[in-house]
Amino acid sequence: INITEADDAERERQRIRLHEPYRTLLGHLRHEVAHYYWDRIIANSRWLPPFRALFGDESLDYSDALQTYYQQGPHPDWSRRSVSPYASAHPWEDWAETWAHYLHMVDTMETAADFGITVKSTDGNTMTLPTDLTEPLNYRTGFDRLIGPWFPLTYALNSLNRGMGLPDLYPFVLSARALDKLRFVHEVVQGSCS
């Protein structure tokens, strides 16, 4: 864990220098925890082949990959493959960024549900947010229960921030591939908890 992430001014300098729309201490902690869980849950497990199919071959030289990322920037098509530019640096970073993003989503959804927030879907239907995302869920329907109301909730949150003259609370666009990776994290979390 990088202690400078706790310094607001330094974190903001890094956010601007690295062209990141979102950088928080909580995000850093969630990202670093993901590396720990990769070793505990994915490495040498039944999850490794599907991990590689989605995220890539983690045996690629990590130091070289990071050096390339910091010298050349993110992969040109990162937005079609990952949740963030940094995720394109190496499969381990892709996992960590996706895991952290998943935790952001679950925490935000549970908090909104605790406050009784409902949202309207694009077809105008009112959606009640799931109140218990910790119960064992079917892989497909469980993730769909999470992601279905996620988009209208983030549209509302971004609109509220804009109304206050603040940047988007949720400055991400999730591609189909990023959603597949988030679904995989959900499956791993649910499969590891049952």
Side-chain angles (χ1 to χ4, degrees):
I1 293 179
N2 184 350
I3 195 67
T4 62
E5 291 293 331
D7 181 324
D8 293 340
E10 180 58 27
R11 191 175 55 253
E12 182 64 8
R13 261 192 300 283
Q14 290 292 354
R15 188 190 69 73
I16 292 167
R17 185 178 73 79
L18 297 172
H19 308 289
E20 295 175 344
Y22 178 87
R23 190 179 186 106
T24 66
L25 180 56
L26 182 59
H28 177 66
L29 292 172
R30 287 175 171 164
H31 173 100
E32 296 307 326
V33 163
H35 289 298
Y36 169 80
Y37 278 107
W38 191 92
D39 287 336
R40 301 283 301 178
I41 298 172
I42 304 296
N44 304 313
S45 77
R46 67 182 174 98
W47 299 108
L48 189 56
F51 168 86
R52 285 181 175 158
L54 275 172
F55 293 87
D57 182 1
E58 81 292 347
S59 68
L60 298 171
D61 189 278
Y62 181 72
S63 296
D64 288 349
L66 289 186
Q67 184 175 4
T68 299
Y69 174 81
Y70 285 117
Q71 288 176 352
Q72 299 175 12
H75 196 279
D77 72 342
W78 74 263
S79 64
R80 291 188 11 234
R81 303 181 322 161
S82 305
V83 298
S84 72
Y86 187 58
S88 71
H90 186 275
W92 282 336
E93 297 305 339
D94 199 359
W95 163 262
E97 289 286 285
T98 305
W99 173 282
H101 198 94
Y102 177 78
L103 293 182
H104 290 327
M105 293 170 69
V106 169
D107 192 29
T108 302
M109 294 286 285
E110 287 180 339
T111 301
D114 284 347
F115 277 93
I117 294 173
T118 59
V119 293
K120 288 189 179 175
S121 63
T122 54
D123 60 9
N125 292 326
T126 300
M127 302 170 78
T128 302
L129 303 179
T131 56
D132 184 5
L133 294 169
T134 60
E135 67 186 45
L137 301 171
N138 174 281
Y139 158 57
R140 290 263 174 218
T141 60
F143 184 74
D144 292 343
R145 272 184 55 212
L146 173 66
I147 202 66
W150 177 245
F151 292 111
L153 177 62
T154 60
Y155 302 153
L157 293 172
N158 285 346
S159 295
L160 288 168
N161 263 30
R162 290 173 189 173
M164 295 296 292
L166 297 170
D168 285 351
L169 181 72
Y170 185 75
F172 300 96
V173 176
L174 298 176
S175 67
R177 185 72 169 181
L179 287 171
D180 288 342
K181 291 174 181 180
L182 285 162
R183 185 181 296 276
F184 177 75
V185 170
H186 177 80
E187 181 180 11
V188 167
V189 168
Q190 294 300 320
S192 298
C193 292
S194 52

